[in-house]
C-alpha cells in the first residue's frame, strides 16, 4: 500500500494518525495530524517535535516495531507556538506496508480531550484490519490480472498453432507448422516430431520402401536409421493418438518454465495428432491417385532416330486421378504421330474417359493417322457419341521424316513449343479449333511448320503453365525463358527442367509432358 492510499483511508478519522519509520521520520499523516500540530506532517521527524527525553520515543518505536498488536504509550510534542501538547499514543507495526523498511502506525489522542483509550484501540484494530483486507484484495486482483493475461497469451498462441495446422496439407507442412509454433505454444525450449510412417502411409505393395516418402523435418519411428538414434535425456514424450491409433509422439525439451501443465499438453497433442492423421491420409490418397494415373498412361514404342522423354506429376492439391494423357504412334518409315490431351475435370469418370480416348485414338490413327484434321474429327465424334457431357482439349501432330515437316491440329489445347538447340523457342500458334466432345461435326484446321536440325518439340497440358490469379500469357513466357536454360541438355534432362521449372510453385493441376527430338532423316527427300 502506498502513503497516498494510507492518507486516503485515514482522512475521515478525527484524531491524528501518522506512519513513521524506525528513525522517527514521518512517512505519511492524515489531515487531523497537521490540524493538531502543523509540523506533524510527512517528511518531519518526531525527534524534532518531542519535548520528552528522546529515549522515551526511541523505546516506544522499538516496542511498536516489534509488536503485531497495538501497544499504548505517551508523548509530549511541541506545538508551533512552542507550547507542550500531551498525547496518549497507540502504536503498532504496519504489517501491510510493502516498502523496503519496517514502519509503525501511530494513533494520537490529546490528553485534554476525553480519554477514549478503549475506543482508540478498537479503531486501531479496525483500521489495521481494513488496510490488511485492502492489501489482500489488491494482491488478489494483481494475481488474477496476471493469470488472465497469461491465459490470453497462451490461448492466442494455441490459435496460431491451430491456424498453422489447419492450412497444412502434407506431412512436411505439418512438421513445419509444429517446428515453428509448438515450442512457443508450450513455452519450452524445443520440440521434435516422431511419427510411424507405416501407420500414416500404408505400403501400396508388399516390400515397398517408404524411406523416400519420409521428410527430414520429423523422425521416422519405422525407419531403422532414425530409430537407431539414442533418445535424448531430460525430455518429455507426449503420445500423439488419433482415432484410437498411436501415430507417434511429440518430444518436448522443457525450458525455464518447466514442464507444461497436463491439460495444456493434451490440448496441443490432440491438435497435432489430428493434423498428422489428416496429412497422412492425404499423402496416402495422393500416392494412390498418382499410381493409378501412371498406370493408365500408355507405354510408348521405341522409334529409331527419335529421342523421346515423358514426365508426369499430379497437381499439388489433388488427391483424385485426372484425365491428362500423351501418346506416340510409329505409323510407318516416314511418319510419326504424337498426341496429347486433357479431359476436363478430375476423378475416376474422367480417368476412365482418358483411358478409352487413348485406346480409341490408337484405332483412329491406324486408319487416318497421316491426316491430322481427320484424326481429331473422328475423336470428336467418338467422344460426342459415347461420352456425352465430357469434353477434352487435345493436340495431334504428324512428323514427316524426309522433309522434317510437322503438321499439327490444336483442339482448344495450349500450343506446342519448338525448342531450338541454342535455347531459343517458338510456339506453334497456328489455327485454333474447338475442344473435342461438345460440338458434333466440328471443323478442325491444321497448321504446318518445318523443324531444323536439333529442334525438339514439347507437348504439355495446361497444368504446366497455369497458376492461380495469373494470366496464361505469363506462364507461356516463363516456359520460353526456361527453354533458354536448357541449351545443350538431352531430352530427358530438358523434360525434367520443364516439369520443375518452378520448384517452389503451387501447381493446382496435373502436368503431363511429351518431348521429342527427331534425328537426321534416314534418306533424302524425294
Amino acid at each position: 500500500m502506498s502513503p497516498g492510499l494510507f492518507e486516503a483511508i485515514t482522512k475521515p478519522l478525527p484524531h491524528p494518525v501518522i506512519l513513521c519509520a524506525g528513525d522517527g521520520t514521518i512517512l505519511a499523516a492524515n489531515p487531523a495530524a497537521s490540524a493538531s500540530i502543523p509540523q506533524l506532517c510527512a517528511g518531519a521527524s518526531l525527534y524534532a517535535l518531542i519535548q520528552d527525553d528522546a529515549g522515551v520515543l526511541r523505546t516506544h518505536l522499538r516496542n511498536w516495531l516489534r509488536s503485531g498488536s497495538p501497544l499504548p504509550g505517551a508523548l509530549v510534542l511541541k506545538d508551533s507556538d512552542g507550547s507542550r501538547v500531551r498525547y496518549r499514543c497507540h502504536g503498532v507495526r504496519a504489517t501491510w506496508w510493502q516498502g523496503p523498511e519496517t514502519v509503525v502506525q501511530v494513533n494520537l489522542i490529546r490528553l485534554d480531550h476525553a480519554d477514549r483509550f478503549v475506543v482508540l484501540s478498537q479503531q486501531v484494530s479496525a483500521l489495521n484490519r481494513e488496510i490488511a483486507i485492502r492489501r489482500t484484495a489488491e494482491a488478489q486482483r494483481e494475481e488474477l490480472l496476471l493469470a488472465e493475461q497469461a491465459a490470453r497469451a497462451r490461448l492466442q498462441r494455441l490459435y496460431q498453432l491451430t491456424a498453422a495446422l489447419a492450412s497444412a496439407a502434407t506431412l512436411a507442412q505439418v512438421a513445419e507448422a509444429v517446428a515453428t509454433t509448438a515450442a512457443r505454444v508450450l513455452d519450452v525450449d524445443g520440440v521434435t516430431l516422431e511419427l510411424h510412417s507405416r501407420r500414416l502411409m500404408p505400403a501400396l505393395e508388399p516390400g515397398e520402401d517408404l524411406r523416400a516418402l519420409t521428410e527430414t523435418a520429423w523422425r521416422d519411428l519405422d525407419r531403422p536409421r532414425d530409430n537407431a538414434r539414442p533418445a535424448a535425456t531430460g525430455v518429455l514424450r507426449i503420445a500423439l493418438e488419433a482415432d484410437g491409433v498411436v501415430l507417434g509422439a511429440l518430444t518436448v525439451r522443457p525450458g525455464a518454465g518447466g514442464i507444461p501443465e497436463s491439460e495444456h499438453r493434451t490440448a496441443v497433442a490432440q491438435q497435432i495428432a489430428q493434423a498428422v492423421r489428416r496429412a497422412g491420409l492425404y499423402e496416402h490418397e495422393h500416392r494412390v491417385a498418382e499410381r493409378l494415373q501412371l498406370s493408365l498412361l500408355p507405354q510408348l514404342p521405341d522409334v529409331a532416330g527419335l529421342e523421346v522423354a515423358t514426365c508426369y506429376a499430379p497437381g499439388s492439391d489433388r488427391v483424385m486421378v485426372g484425365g491428362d494423357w500423351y501418346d506416340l504412334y510409329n505409323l510407318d518409315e516416314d511418319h510419326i504421330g504424337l498426341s496429347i490431351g486433357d479431359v476436363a475435370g478430375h476423378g475416376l469418370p474422367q480417368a476412365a474417359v482418358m483411358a478409352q480416348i487413348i485406346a480409341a485414338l490408337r484405332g483412329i490413327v491406324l486408319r487416318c493417322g497421316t491426316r491430322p484434321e481427320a484424326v481429331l474429327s473422328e475423336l470428336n465424334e467418338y467422344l460426342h457419341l459415347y461420352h456425352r457431357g465430357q469434353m477434352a482439349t487435345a493436340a495431334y501432330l504428324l512428323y514427316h521424316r524426309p522433309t522434317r515437316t510437322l503438321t499439327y491440329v490444336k483442339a482448344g489445347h495450349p500450343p506446342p513449343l519448338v525448342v531450338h538447340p541454342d535455347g531459343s523457342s517458338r510456339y506453334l500458334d497456328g489455327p485454333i479449333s474447338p475442344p473435342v466432345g461438345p460440338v458434333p461435326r466440328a471443323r478442325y484446321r491444321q497448321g504446318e511448320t518445318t523443324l531444323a536440325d536439333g529442334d525438339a518439340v514439347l507437348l504439355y497440358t495446361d497444368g504446366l503453365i497455369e497458376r492461380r490469379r495469373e494470366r496464361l500469357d505469363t506462364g507461356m513466357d516463363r516456359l520460353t525463358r526456361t527453354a533458354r536454360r536448357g541449351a545443350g541438355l538431352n531430352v530427358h534432362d530438358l523434360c525434367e527442367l520443364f516439369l520443375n521449372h518452378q520448384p517452389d510453385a503451387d501447381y493446382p493441376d496435373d502436368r503431363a509432358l511429351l518431348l521429342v527430338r527427331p534425328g537426321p532423316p534416314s534418306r533424302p527427300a524425294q
Side-chain angles (χ1 to χ4, degrees):
M1 181 182 296
S2 65
L5 184 56
F6 168 82
E7 293 174 355
I9 294 175
T10 58
K11 181 178 179 180
L13 298 179
H15 60 274
V17 182
I18 62 174
L19 196 63
C20 185
D23 62 357
T25 302
I26 299 175
L27 303 177
N30 70 340
S34 57
S36 176
I37 297 178
Q39 293 86 352
L40 202 61
C41 60
S45 173
L46 275 180
Y47 283 104
L49 300 175
I50 194 73
Q51 289 283 15
D52 294 330
D53 182 4
V56 175
L57 176 59
R58 189 176 301 109
T59 301
H60 283 332
L61 288 175
R62 183 170 59 250
N63 292 335
W64 291 336
L65 286 171
R66 294 174 179 175
S67 174
S69 301
L71 294 179
L75 291 175
V76 179
L77 302 181
K78 180 172 59 178
D79 203 347
S80 57
D81 57 2
S83 60
R84 295 163 58 90
V85 181
R86 295 177 60 82
Y87 287 94
R88 182 184 293 278
C89 307
H90 214 73
V92 66
R93 176 166 49 87
T95 56
W96 46 265
W97 177 254
Q98 293 180 323
E101 57 183 336
T102 305
V103 300
V104 295
Q105 173 187 319
V106 183
N107 292 260
L108 305 171
I109 299 293
R110 291 181 63 144
L111 286 181
D112 53 352
H113 294 172
D115 190 354
R116 296 174 291 175
F117 182 78
V118 176
V119 176
L120 178 59
S121 297
Q122 294 174 347
Q123 289 176 342
V124 170
S125 299
L127 180 59
N128 274 338
R129 286 196 300 271
E130 181 179 355
I131 293 176
I133 291 172
R134 292 201 180 193
R135 179 186 173 190
T136 302
E138 279 187 356
Q140 290 176 344
R141 281 197 299 270
E142 184 70 19
E143 290 177 0
L144 289 175
L145 179 60
L146 292 175
E148 181 182 354
Q149 291 174 345
R152 189 182 298 114
R154 173 182 291 180
L155 189 59
Q156 182 65 30
R157 293 194 296 267
L158 188 60
Y159 284 156
Q160 292 173 355
L161 175 64
T162 302
L165 293 175
S167 61
T170 66
L171 285 171
Q173 292 169 346
V174 170
E176 177 68 17
V178 171
T180 56
T181 60
R184 197 153 42 87
V185 172
L186 291 170
D187 193 19
V188 295
D189 281 350
V191 298
T192 302
L193 192 60
E194 300 178 348
L195 301 174
H196 290 283
S197 61
R198 293 192 177 275
R199 298 178 188 178
L200 295 169
M201 300 177 291
L204 297 180
E205 58 187 34
E208 181 183 11
D209 186 6
L210 296 177
R211 291 185 181 183
L213 300 174
T214 59
E215 298 285 344
T216 57
W218 49 276
R219 179 183 172 195
D220 187 0
L221 298 176
D222 294 334
R223 188 173 184 177
R225 187 180 70 185
D226 287 355
N227 214 9
R229 299 175 186 172
T233 58
V235 300
L236 172 69
R237 298 183 83 251
I238 308 173
L240 301 178
E241 182 177 346
D243 302 329
V245 179
V246 177
L247 304 175
L250 185 71
T251 62
V252 175
R253 297 185 296 278
I259 297 176
E261 297 176 1
S262 175
E263 292 183 357
H264 189 45
R265 297 198 309 263
T266 301
V268 171
Q270 287 176 346
Q271 293 267 4
I272 295 175
Q274 291 297 330
V276 166
R277 183 64 168 170
R278 289 194 305 269
L281 291 174
Y282 175 89
E283 299 262 10
H284 179 63
E285 292 175 1
H286 202 271
R287 290 169 55 228
V288 170
E290 183 177 7
R291 183 72 62 89
L292 177 59
Q293 183 77 45
L294 292 173
S295 69
L296 293 174
L297 292 173
Q299 296 294 320
L300 304 186
D302 293 329
V303 180
L306 184 70
E307 297 179 73
V308 181
T310 61
C311 291
Y312 173 82
S316 57
D317 57 356
R318 300 285 185 182
V319 295
M320 297 185 296
V321 289
D324 293 19
W325 86 85
Y326 50 73
D327 207 349
L328 184 147
Y329 318 94
N330 190 10
L331 301 178
D332 54 43
E333 186 177 334
D334 292 338
H335 295 92
I336 300 169
L338 308 167
S339 75
I340 194 162
D342 181 7
V343 178
H346 283 80
L348 287 176
Q350 285 71 28
V353 171
M354 177 266 284
Q356 294 181 57
I357 285 177
I358 292 174
L361 264 176
R362 289 189 166 182
I364 293 171
V365 169
L366 284 176
R367 294 193 307 275
C368 54
T370 57
R371 293 180 292 124
E373 291 176 317
V375 170
L376 286 193
S377 293
E378 286 204 25
L379 179 61
N380 178 62
E381 297 304 318
Y382 164 79
L383 201 61
H384 182 75
L385 181 62
Y386 294 105
H387 299 282
R388 289 292 180 93
Q390 296 287 354
M391 181 185 76
T393 65
Y396 179 78
L397 294 80
L398 176 69
Y399 179 65
H400 185 237
R401 288 176 184 263
T403 62
R404 293 184 175 274
T405 301
L406 186 67
T407 308
Y408 59 92
V409 180
K410 300 178 297 180
H413 201 78
L417 181 68
V418 177
V419 183
H420 305 305
D422 63 356
S424 60
S425 59
R426 59 186 173 90
Y427 285 104
L428 299 181
D429 291 324
I432 300 176
S433 303
V436 294
V439 181
R441 295 179 296 281
R443 181 185 176 189
Y444 293 90
R445 298 178 298 164
Q446 65 186 33
E448 189 175 280
T449 190
T450 301
L451 299 182
D453 187 22
D455 282 352
V457 180
L458 174 68
L459 283 69
Y460 56 92
T461 54
D462 56 7
L464 186 66
I465 56 175
E466 285 186 345
R467 300 289 180 276
R468 293 184 177 94
R469 297 177 294 276
E470 181 181 272
R471 294 181 56 188
L472 195 60
D473 291 345
T474 303
M476 296 177 68
D477 291 341
R478 189 166 48 239
L479 212 58
T480 60
R481 292 195 300 272
T482 302
R484 287 195 284 272
R485 307 201 319 262
L489 296 180
N490 61 46
V491 292
H492 298 285
D493 291 340
L494 186 58
C495 193
E496 287 289 340
L497 175 65
F498 280 120
L499 179 70
N500 302 300
H501 68 286
Q502 277 190 295
D504 298 326
D506 180 26
Y507 292 92
D509 205 353
D510 301 346
R511 292 163 283 160
L513 288 77
L514 172 61
L515 182 67
V516 298
R517 179 181 285 154
S522 57
R523 57 187 174 85
Q526 300 296 324

